[in-house]
Amino acid sequence: MVEPRDEDADAALAASAAGLALHAVVLDDFKSYSGRVVAEFNSRGIIAIVGPNGAGKSCLVEGICFALGLDLRSMRAQNLKALVNRTGRDDGVACAVSCVFRARSGAGALCVQRRAIAPADGPARSEFRVQSCSCGSFGWGVEHDQLPWPCDQCEVRVARRSELKALLLRELQLDVDRPDTFVVQQSACASIAQQTPLELLCFIEDFARTAHLRRGVEAEAATVGRLRASLAALGASLSRACAERTRRSPALDAAEELE
């Protein structure tokens, strides 16, 4: 994960909280999904995808990874041709996945699409297209004519992976070279459940992008520990003083009576 510099950490965290959230995923002939499938999300926070075995959970997550530019190892595929669903079709030569992000508040949307063009008798290739909308003309919906593009006013442009990576890091604080910081695969859940409390804390901090705060928290915890030790020592000194005063009280009373 690319961590923000300390002086930029709070700003980056605030931008993430107030920025874009995943609104929908559009899959076209991707792996087990034949034809067009649209998954819409109403959450503005962490998204959990649940369902019975064979429902397509892993395929949906893999589609998101594909659209964001992750390598094929994240999609259980040896090559691009393996991603194209050719069920009942002789002309199935391409697939595409689009991720639509929408502003948590106010105007703004971002659509990232990746297409795999894989003819049966030729070399395969993929391309990225993006649309960044801030004009407020967001009209996305399942019946929207421009599906999956959220805006019919802003430009849709072809992008290189390096450009996409920079865009996602800037707009979403996602490092596509570290997918473990924003996607938890089902296969990882068992190992996560077996982690020690400290390992689990580190995992959550990395996932929430708050690991840069750990050093400051540890320093404050050390300060609190020293203060507690000082208070304990002071309390012990007071206890000894009180005990000594109690031990000497009879002698002092006797001396006063002699005087």
Side-chain angles (χ1 to χ4, degrees):
M1 179 178 62
V2 176
E3 295 182 355
R5 295 173 302 177
D6 289 345
E7 60 266 26
D8 295 336
D10 293 338
L13 207 59
S16 177
L20 300 166
L22 184 62
H23 179 69
V25 179
V26 181
L27 305 105
D28 292 290
D29 291 316
F30 180 80
K31 296 195 74 174
S32 64
Y33 291 105
S34 178
R36 168 162 287 180
V37 177
V38 180
E40 292 190 75
F41 304 100
N42 294 320
S43 173
R44 291 294 182 265
I46 294 175
I47 295 173
I49 300 172
V50 298
N53 290 338
K57 304 183 300 295
S58 296
C59 187
L60 177 56
V61 173
E62 290 167 356
I64 296 172
C65 293
F66 174 70
L68 298 182
L70 275 65
D71 60 40
L72 295 180
R73 289 176 297 178
S74 302
M75 287 150 259
R76 301 175 298 174
Q78 294 183 346
N79 52 56
L80 290 172
K81 292 183 178 181
L83 301 177
V84 180
N85 186 301
R86 305 177 191 271
T87 304
R89 299 176 57 183
D90 296 330
D91 60 344
V93 297
C95 67
V97 181
S98 308
C99 291
V100 181
F101 300 89
R102 188 174 185 179
R104 289 182 171 89
S105 60
L110 172 68
C111 181
V112 176
Q113 183 188 82
R114 185 180 183 184
R115 297 180 70 230
I117 303 166
D121 57 352
R125 61 183 177 86
S126 71
E127 67 177 21
F128 297 97
R129 293 193 292 172
V130 299
Q131 182 187 60
S132 183
C133 170
S134 58
C135 70
S137 299
F138 184 92
W140 197 93
V142 174
E143 304 301 328
H144 184 46
D145 293 338
Q146 297 295 119
L147 193 76
W149 308 108
C151 177
D152 57 4
Q153 303 293 324
C154 296
E155 177 189 8
V156 177
R157 62 183 180 86
V158 176
R160 295 191 299 270
R161 185 185 183 277
S162 58
E163 294 174 326
L164 176 67
K165 177 182 176 179
L167 175 68
L168 294 174
L169 192 60
R170 182 178 69 251
E171 298 293 337
L172 301 173
Q173 289 74 55
L174 295 184
D175 182 359
V176 296
D177 290 334
R178 285 291 311 277
D180 56 302
T181 61
F182 59 89
V183 174
V184 180
Q185 297 279 8
Q186 182 178 352
S187 58
C189 292
S191 61
I192 292 171
Q194 295 173 0
Q195 290 181 342
T196 66
L198 180 58
E199 290 172 337
L200 187 59
L201 175 61
C202 291
F203 168 79
I204 293 173
E205 288 177 339
D206 286 340
F207 198 79
R209 298 188 291 279
T210 59
H212 60 278
L213 302 174
R214 189 182 305 155
R215 186 178 301 174
V217 170
E218 290 174 348
E220 294 298 326
T223 300
V224 170
R226 289 193 296 270
L227 289 174
R228 285 179 175 173
S230 297
L231 288 173
L234 179 60
S237 297
L238 289 174
S239 296
R240 288 194 297 270
C242 290
E244 183 67 17
R245 175 63 183 269
T246 301
R247 186 179 65 81
R248 292 184 177 184
S249 290
L252 292 172
D253 294 341
E256 290 177 355
E257 289 178 1
L258 288 176
E259 292 178 354

